[in-house]
């Protein structure tokens, strides 16, 4: 691109940059409107300056034109100071001092809500001055620092006051003096008007670029967290209040039309800046100094209107999708824990696995989505006894979700159904859901870190409930799948080769990379197969691949060609195994070829069945 | 439950029913406010009547109390008649007749926007009468039928006029007559006031229950589609207009406070009804006749406030999650098409598979989510040559998404990258995205019905690009994996058993259920393995499991124990196979045991590798 390119330095050149460049070029042709002159210093602005910035809630900033050109924030500051007062004093106190009703009048009107003895709303000058009075600090300097600190947190950088604009405001702000005295007269403010006006003029004189404005707006769009710094600039509880007031009053007596056509909470400033907020998506900052009759930047309004129209960003354009809350449902007949089961257990789970249901939940849990989830789980519980909610893809759960899930838990418990949670962490946005689900010892839900553990627990419950196989720690070799079809003589040969071996808890039975010269049958206890990864993070270095209990064989690939172990096998508890020497078995193979072929055939059938199951699982997971 | 239960007959007793029953019981204790008396017939209402209904966008209706008690809709009708005028006349025409600016005045105020010569907005009586004038019909009866039809479509049942309330309105509506004559005087309406008043009084006298109101509100919440009937009551393009005006003007001079505390687009009626709309989630209908000073049902406001607070339903409480758009990314080294590849092809894809990237997209594609997707695909394209967008879980794509993806397509093409779409249907909400992506012959994206086809296409491109293996239709038996490790003598024995066989396109080579007495090596062409399902739907009866080309074996399980075929294998084109008789092979096994053991070992290794790959794929799919 040439130096004359309107694309800002921060941007790489993608589709959105091209869109913005084109938009900027077209709207730059609009020369309607007049620069504000009632503050003499503002009249010095270059009417052609024109910048656009869009910041996403994950911190990508797109800019075009004079995106770094400095100007004073003016009335846009009102939104951030109002947010500050809510966070410092709480909603009720602030509401008793400043209303939230639109006036239908201009920004500098002197109408006051005499019924409630408060200015109508914090976006008109009267309300903004009442808010400025609430800025805390022991000294005037401390209060200015508080005000600058609030705005700087939203912008993600230190903002400063434009002293020459400030002097100009101080010298000419007589209408605002009149409003302040009117409020003092009726007891809506209590400090000396000049004290309030000093901080109010200063908050209006804070110097920003439209890139700053976009980031400040994106901070509001991102639930109060600055997307560049990650710092919380405003508690998320108050975001809805600030956005509501911006939406109903931010554009003064043009608010209805703006809300209808553009539909983004917004605030304009008389120097030519506008911010607009699309919650959860982006913040927009535009600057161009020529104003319309309502005091809004002409190009700024045009830019916001085009962006809203082109990209469908109107707040009442519905993107909520309650129905997508269930990512998929999987039956326990298809998904299994990594626990390798004995043939009897496998067949029991084949038979009864549909009593376990895994529901993968996704997105945000709020009323609409959670109500659907609760309704669906209720229906599933007509058949299933264990319902695993896999929350791995849930990014948030609000109080509606917590309440509905708590009620569901109690509801299912009364019907002898088990609600089991997987991937419900004890920190982050889901922590309070976990607290809610485990608060009461008597009724607490089962909570597991991983779905595999949740599944294994449910399977174990089912096996305990239905298995009448008695003691599975005693069995003859002929009952093992791998020796199926061998005659009495063959088995007698094998029995001569068995070596009973005992391992203590935590002991490594087989080590990855070792030569493979034995294969094993578990006789008692369970073992875990795990992989060692080359990871920095110690807790990630061991990956549990599977666990197995009595009657299950492992290490049988050694029969084929010896080779090396591909994973560790560790005893979970005190474990008894039967070991077979591969070398001895292969020797036997030479004298009893049919025996060896039968064993290979059995292994093959087992592999084939496992492959079929794996392919079934892939098909299910691909849905 | 006993007959006295406040739970309506339609409800089953779940967590939400319990919540509503408790809410109803608590708010039933509130006896503030006065019944409207200016329409004498309304004064006859029983002040204790109290019903609540919530309808979800998928048609579940929760009710409690007097949810079926009939009353007149009154001013709530204004929202639906306004929607009708927008759909009939378009936004610009309606806007020129009726403004959208809140008045800050009561519902029956006689302030008119003299600057624009129109009533301020359609929610005050003046604006509603101007809207009523626009109801179409050749006769008064036809216009009434149009009006009733519009409201009935929203309610999902035929609504009727309460004649005694109508007579009472007609007899006493002098203030409305005054407003109408004021508007006629200034040219804001053009018909005889009595004609307009007649239809206006009738629309106010339509009899509904709060269950009806909930469904009407849910229709607005559901983009204009009635969730019970599936019928479109209002084109989705106008929903945002109706909701915006309800939000800014629906609660008159209490709108700011309502919007701040409750934050749902709403409309109240003087008979005691209120509707509230939570887009994408629910519609609420409440009825209780005692009114506050602003003319809103006291209990109705309390109910909406509690529901909003308890379940976090304020419109500026952000639930948008742009970040969840990417469900997961999968590399072509891990996910493969169902095409069974020869060893050479497999190793090429192991090596080059990461040039293919599959991106699973989910949820709604709107600006915020699509911008993230575009940014991520752009980053992936730095390495990958083929990017498959799997849209199976995308439920909608708006115009912002279409535009951004079209720009992305052009952008990637200029960099020699292939954007491939899977599961992009040519009907339903994604049809216009498909049109956009395939509009231009020169630059059209590749679009496949299934991901597997998209993957196979990408793999084939890669193989064509990198494979220098030459003609793979000629090979010796010793090159086949299954015969690896056999010596020259063994191979000579096998060559004596080979039967070359030719199959025509579409011919079945192996049929499910047949006795298995041959196993095959593909020498030329490709074959498809498919399952026959027991389905009503003919197109679902055949499921493609895999396809395979030269050098790949199939039917080898027959070697173990004969048995029966588990799937069909069909020739895709003219196919040459080498067939081996299982019986002959097993005979050879007796005389050459090492040969047979080697083949079984090779099969086992192949199965073991396929099982390992399948487990890798499961692990990847589980992420």
């Amino acid at each position: 691109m040439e130096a004359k390119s309107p694309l800002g330095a921060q941007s790489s050149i993608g589709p959105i940059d091209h869109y913005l460049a084109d938009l900027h070029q077209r709207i730059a042709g609009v020369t309607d409107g007049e620069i504000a002159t009632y503050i003499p210093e503002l009249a010095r602005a270059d009417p052609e300056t024109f910048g656009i910035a869009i910041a996403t809630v994950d911190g990508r900033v797109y800019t075009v034109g004079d995106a770094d050109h400095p100007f004073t924030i003016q009335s846009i500051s009102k939104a951030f100071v109002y947010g500050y007062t809510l966070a410092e004093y709480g909603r009720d106190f602030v509401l008793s001092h400043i209303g939230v009703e639109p006036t239908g009048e201009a920004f500098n009107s002197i109408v006051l809500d005499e019924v409630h003895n408060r200015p109508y709303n914090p976006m008109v000058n009267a309300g903004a001055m009442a808010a400025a009075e609430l800025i805390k600090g022991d000294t005037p300097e401390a209060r200015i620092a508080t005000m600058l600190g609030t705005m700087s947190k939203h912008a993600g950088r230190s903002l400063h006051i434009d002293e020459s604009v400030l002097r100009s405001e101080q010298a000419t702000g007589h209408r605002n003096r009149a409003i302040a005295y009117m409020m003092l007269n009726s007891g809506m403010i209590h400090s000396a008007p000049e004290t309030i006006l000093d901080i109010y003029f200063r908050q209006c004189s804070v110097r920003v670029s439209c890139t700053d404005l976009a980031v400040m707006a994106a901070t509001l769009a991102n639930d109060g967290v600055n997307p560049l710094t990650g710092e919380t600039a405003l508690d998320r509880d108050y975001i809805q209040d600030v956005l509501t007031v911006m939406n109903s009053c931010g554009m003064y007596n043009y608010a209805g039309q703006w809300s209808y056509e553009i539909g983004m909470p917004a605030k304009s400033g008389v120097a030519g800046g506008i911010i607009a907020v699309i919650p959860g998506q982006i913040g927009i900052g535009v600057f161009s100094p020529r104003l319309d009759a309502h005091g809004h930047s002409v190009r700024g309004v045009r830019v916001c209107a085009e962006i809203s129209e082109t990209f469908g960003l109107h707040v009442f354009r519905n993107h909520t999708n309650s129905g997508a809350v269930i990512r998929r449902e999987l039956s326990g007949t298809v998904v299994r824990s990594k626990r390798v089961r004995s043939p009897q257990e496998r067949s029991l789970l084949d038979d009864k696995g549909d009593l376990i249901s895994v529901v993968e939940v996704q997105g945000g849990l709020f009323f609409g989505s959670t109500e659907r989830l609760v309704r669906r789980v209720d229906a599933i519980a007509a058949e299933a006894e264990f319902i695993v909610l896999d929350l791995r893809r849930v990014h948030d759960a609000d109080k509606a979700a917590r309440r509905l899930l708590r009620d569901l838990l109690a509801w299912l418990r009364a019907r002898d159904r088990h609600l089991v949670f997987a991937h419900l962490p004890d920190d982050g946005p889901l922590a309070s859901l976990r607290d809610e689900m485990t608060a009461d010892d008597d009724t607490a839900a089962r909570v597991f870190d991983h779905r595999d553990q949740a599944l294994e627990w449910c399977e174990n419950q089912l096996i305990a409930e239905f298995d009448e196989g008695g003691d599975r720690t005693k069995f003859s070799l002929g009952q093992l799948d791998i020796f199926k079809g061998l005659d009495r003589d063959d088995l007698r040969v094998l029995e001569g080769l068995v070596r009973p071996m005992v391992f203590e808890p935590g002991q490594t039975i087989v080590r990855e990379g070792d030569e493979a010269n034995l294969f094993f049958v578990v006789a008692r206890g369970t073992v875990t197969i795990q992989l060692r990864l080359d990871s920095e993070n110690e807790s990630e270095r061991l990956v549990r691949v599977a666990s197995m209990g009595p009657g299950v064989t492992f290490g049988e690939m050694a029969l084929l060609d010896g080779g090396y172990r591909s994973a560790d096998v560790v005893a979970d508890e005190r474990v008894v195994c039967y070991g077979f020497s591969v070398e001895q078995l292969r020797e036997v193979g030479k004298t009893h070829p049919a025996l060896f072929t039968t064993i290979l055939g059995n292994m093959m059938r087992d592999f084939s069945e496992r492959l079929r199951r794996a392919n079934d699982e892939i098909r299910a997971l691909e849905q």
Side-chain angles (χ1 to χ4, degrees), chain A:
Chain A
M1 304 292 287
E2 294 175 42
K4 270 187 284 182
S5 156
L7 294 165
Q10 208 180 358
S11 307
S12 76
I13 314 302
I16 289 175
D17 300 288
H18 281 284
Y19 166 78
L20 282 183
D22 173 64
L23 177 69
H24 185 274
Q25 193 174 30
R26 280 186 294 106
I27 307 281
V30 176
T31 57
D32 301 345
E34 298 296 336
I35 291 183
T37 53
Y38 72 98
I39 301 169
E41 192 66 21
L42 294 185
R44 298 162 50 121
D46 175 358
E48 290 308 328
T49 357
F50 179 25
I52 310 174
I54 292 180
T56 69
V57 291
D58 67 337
R60 176 73 162 86
V61 183
Y62 299 93
T63 60
V64 63
D66 305 314
D68 298 323
H69 183 84
F71 55 94
T72 51
I73 190 166
Q74 299 295 340
S75 290
I76 301 171
S77 63
K78 294 168 180 174
F80 302 100
V81 171
Y82 181 59
Y84 162 85
T85 64
L86 288 167
E88 284 295 317
Y89 295 88
R91 199 171 286 146
D92 292 341
F93 179 89
V94 174
L95 208 50
S96 70
H97 278 60
I98 309 163
V100 291
E101 213 62 45
T103 62
E105 308 273 339
F107 64 97
N108 57 0
S109 71
I110 314 199
V111 290
L112 297 167
D113 178 354
E114 283 163 15
V115 176
H116 299 95
N117 200 45
R118 60 187 182 188
Y120 272 105
N121 69 64
M123 300 292 114
V124 292
N125 292 5
M129 285 186 259
E133 187 184 24
L134 299 177
I135 295 173
K136 289 181 177 171
D138 292 336
T139 61
E141 290 71 29
R143 300 177 76 198
I144 293 163
T146 302
M147 177 273 289
L148 279 173
T150 294
M151 291 209 247
S152 297
K153 264 196 223 169
H154 284 85
R157 72 176 186 97
S158 278
L159 299 178
H160 302 283
I161 290 167
D162 184 319
E163 296 292 339
S164 58
V165 172
L166 173 61
R167 279 190 300 275
S168 195
E169 304 237 14
Q170 285 169 331
T172 60
H174 306 310
R175 190 178 173 93
N176 286 326
R177 284 194 178 85
I179 294 173
Y181 277 101
M182 285 278 293
M183 289 200 289
L184 183 66
N185 175 58
S186 50
M188 295 182 191
I189 57 173
H190 307 280
S191 325
E194 281 303 331
T195 317
I196 297 173
L197 287 164
D198 184 66
I199 193 152
Y200 177 67
F201 289 145
R202 282 176 200 273
Q203 81 176 52
C204 290
S205 303
V206 168
R207 196 161 44 204
V208 292
S209 67
C210 67
T211 300
D212 292 325
L213 289 186
V215 175
M216 294 172 89
T219 299
L220 297 179
N222 193 35
D223 287 333
V225 177
N226 184 304
L228 298 185
T229 66
E231 197 180 0
T232 297
L234 177 59
D235 188 298
R236 66 182 294 176
D237 285 348
Y238 300 106
I239 294 292
Q240 72 178 51
D241 302 333
V242 174
L243 295 182
T244 301
V245 172
M246 286 169 68
N247 189 60
S248 55
C249 316
M251 302 303 272
Y252 313 122
N253 48 341
Y254 182 65
Q257 188 85 18
W258 172 281
S259 174
Y260 189 82
E261 286 181 2
I262 301 177
M264 309 165 167
K267 190 74 206 77
S268 74
V270 77
I274 294 185
I275 61 168
V277 179
I278 297 88
Q281 301 192 55
I282 55 172
I284 301 174
V286 200
F287 169 66
S288 191
R290 288 199 199 90
L291 308 183
D292 64 21
H294 300 283
H296 310 313
S297 165
V298 173
R299 287 175 180 167
V301 171
R302 287 285 295 271
V303 163
C304 291
E306 283 223 18
I307 292 177
S308 174
E309 169 62 23
T310 305
F311 295 119
L313 297 175
H314 194 290
V315 66
F316 287 121
R317 208 180 179 90
N318 165 33
H319 296 123
T320 303
N321 181 25
S322 304
V325 63
I326 294 177
R327 185 196 189 215
R328 64 183 165 194
E329 299 172 15
L330 297 162
S331 158
T333 54
V334 178
V335 281
R336 289 285 166 79
S337 73
K338 299 275 177 283
R339 171 85 177 245
V340 180
R341 301 290 182 178
S342 70
Q344 297 95 314
E345 292 173 333
R346 279 210 298 266
S347 103
L348 189 148
L349 292 175
D350 281 342
D351 201 34
K352 300 287 184 188
D354 53 9
L355 292 175
I356 302 173
S357 181
V358 176
V359 180
E360 292 186 358
V361 189
Q362 69 184 2
L365 291 181
F366 52 92
F367 179 80
S369 56
T370 314
E371 188 270 335
R372 290 244 191 154
L373 175 62
V374 164
R375 197 155 17 112
R376 181 64 197 143
V377 169
D378 188 34
I380 291 170
E383 304 290 336
E385 202 173 303
F386 299 87
I387 296 135
V388 178
L389 294 187
D390 179 344
L391 301 188
R392 205 177 328 180
R393 291 169 197 82
V394 171
H395 60 86
D396 202 4
D398 72 4
K399 61 181 173 181
R402 292 197 297 274
R403 186 191 167 108
L404 290 175
L405 287 173
R406 189 193 62 201
D407 291 351
L408 176 69
L409 181 64
W411 177 244
L412 291 178
R413 186 170 296 273
R415 294 159 70 194
D416 280 329
R417 296 294 188 262
H418 300 272
L419 192 62
V420 180
F421 288 87
H423 301 276
L424 179 56
D426 57 9
D427 58 0
L430 297 185
S432 46
L433 178 61
R434 184 176 174 132
D435 292 346
E436 186 93 41
M437 292 301 119
T438 54
D440 187 340
D441 280 350
D442 292 339
T443 59
R446 286 263 162 189
V447 174
F448 295 91
D449 287 344
H450 293 281
R451 181 163 96 187
D452 190 50
Q453 297 162 333
L455 267 174
E456 187 172 336
W457 181 83
C458 297
E459 289 169 359
N460 289 344
Q461 303 298 309
L462 268 192
I463 289 167
E465 188 177 343
F466 290 104
D467 190 8
E468 293 155 350
D471 184 2
R472 268 169 295 106
T473 61
K474 288 179 191 158
F475 44 81
S476 69
L477 291 183
Q479 288 177 306
L480 294 175
D481 276 6
I482 196 167
F483 298 137
K484 211 187 280 174
L486 295 183
D487 61 25
R488 196 178 293 242
D489 291 344
D490 289 337
L491 289 171
R492 202 163 298 139
V493 170
L494 287 176
E495 276 158 14
L497 305 176
V498 169
R499 305 182 197 171
M501 305 167 87
V502 178
F503 300 94
E504 297 305 319
Q507 193 179 344
T508 299
I509 303 172
V510 150
R511 186 177 298 278
E512 186 180 341
D514 281 1
E515 229 173 287
N517 42 34
L518 286 174
F519 89 95
F520 298 86
V521 181
V522 181
R524 187 174 302 167
T526 64
V527 302
T528 288
I529 303 182
Q530 59 191 27
L531 289 175
R532 274 176 281 152
L533 295 188
D534 195 21
S535 166
E536 289 295 304
N537 183 337
E538 192 167 346
S539 71
E540 287 170 8
R541 258 177 244 163
L542 286 177
V543 175
R544 180 173 175 268
V545 179
S547 73
M548 34 183 67
V552 177
T553 53
F554 64 90
E556 64 269 56
M557 281 301 287
L559 271 185
L560 267 187
D561 47 6
Y564 300 94
R565 300 299 188 187
S566 57
D568 289 357
V569 179
V570 179
D572 292 339
E573 52 198 325
R574 194 158 197 270
V575 164
V576 180
C577 288
Y578 300 144
F580 292 86
S581 154
V582 170
E583 201 186 319
Q584 287 181 335
L585 261 182
R586 295 178 75 92
E587 283 305 312
V588 169
K590 287 182 187 153
T591 51
H592 301 68
L595 185 157
F596 200 65
T597 311
T598 302
I599 292 178
L600 282 184
N602 286 337
M603 284 172 62
M604 211 129 133
R605 244 174 250 109
D606 181 51
F607 270 57
S608 159
E609 192 210 314
R610 284 157 66 184
L611 187 60
R612 185 188 54 72
R613 275 202 63 83
N615 283 330
D616 285 350
E617 191 164 343
I618 288 171
R619 258 194 294 279
L621 289 171
E622 278 180 345
Q623 291 311 310

